[in-house]
Amino acid sequence: MSRAVLSIGSNLGDRLAHLRSVIDGLGPRVAAVSPVYSTAPWGGVEQDDYLNAVVLVEDPELGARDWLRIGQQLEQAAERVREVRWGARTLDVDVVWCVEGGQVCRSDDPELTLPHPQAHNRAFVLIPWLDVQPDAVLEVDGAVRPVRELLAELGAAERAGVRSTEFALPGSARAAEGSVW
């Protein structure tokens, strides 16, 4: 069994439709979907705000590289172009955390670094993740830490930059109290 946390975002075109395309593309693999948030761009490149969400997925036959491949296929279907690092995009799908066979996946491969090396610095990942998995943990520098603690360590401006929206994605009602895993 493979379970993964995917962070999804869009700030070009029909942003909500791009996020919905991820849920549709993942189909029955979707275990939970966070609410949709609006966030300022991260990384210093001038651009429009993003819509962001987190999706928890699971499939007994997939591994971390499969989640990456599926995410890249969804990005390609949304006509994602990679021109500027941290630049505007129709769709971004990042594998943040993955567990295979009960073991946390770790990878130093530049194509798929796990756990995601910057997730602990990004409120737009941590806040929606906590919505669907309140007891979530993330390994940072070799230590497994509660996501709630990592979020509390971020600056107030970083946390305040993640704003609720009225938008909902298919499956978001499936998020339950407590851990879905």
Side-chain angles (χ1 to χ4, degrees), residues 8-12 14-15 18-19 49-51 89-91:
I8 62 175
S10 174
N11 77 335
L12 285 177
D14 188 339
R15 301 174 302 160
H18 291 307
L19 297 186
D49 285 355
Y50 278 82
L51 290 183
R89 56 202 71 178
T90 56
L91 183 62

Side-chain angles (χ1 to χ4, degrees), residues 36-66:
V36 176
Y37 290 89
S38 177
T39 62
W42 202 89
V45 177
E46 187 69 31
Q47 57 192 297
D48 292 334
D49 285 355
Y50 278 82
L51 290 183
N52 291 100
V54 162
V55 182
L56 303 182
V57 292
E58 54 187 19
D59 190 302
E61 298 182 18
L62 298 181
R65 292 213 172 271
D66 298 309

Side-chain angles (χ1 to χ4, degrees), residues 160-173:
V162 180
R163 301 171 308 278
S164 295
T165 72
E166 70 281 3
F167 303 125
L169 295 172
S172 61

Side-chain angles (χ1 to χ4, degrees), residues 3-5 8 21-22 25 63 65 69 93 98 102 111-112 114 130 133 168 172 180:
R3 296 174 173 153
V5 175
I8 62 175
S21 74
V22 174
R65 292 213 172 271
R69 179 184 46 79
V93 180
C98 187
E111 187 178 29
L112 178 62
L114 286 173
L130 287 171
Q133 193 176 21
S172 61
V180 296

Side-chain angles (χ1 to χ4, degrees), residues 93-153:
V93 180
D94 286 336
V95 181
V96 175
W97 180 250
C98 187
V99 176
E100 291 179 23
Q103 298 295 316
V104 173
C105 298
R106 292 175 183 84
S107 171
D108 291 329
D109 184 326
E111 187 178 29
L112 178 62
T113 305
L114 286 173
H116 191 288
Q118 291 299 320
H120 67 285
N121 291 321
R122 297 177 175 168
F124 69 84
V125 172
L126 303 180
I127 289 172
W129 187 359
L130 287 171
D131 284 333
V132 291
Q133 193 176 21
D135 60 348
V137 296
L138 179 64
E139 185 174 315
V140 179
D141 297 326
V144 176
R145 302 202 35 221
V147 168
R148 191 166 306 287
E149 286 180 12
L150 296 169
L151 180 61
E153 292 173 4

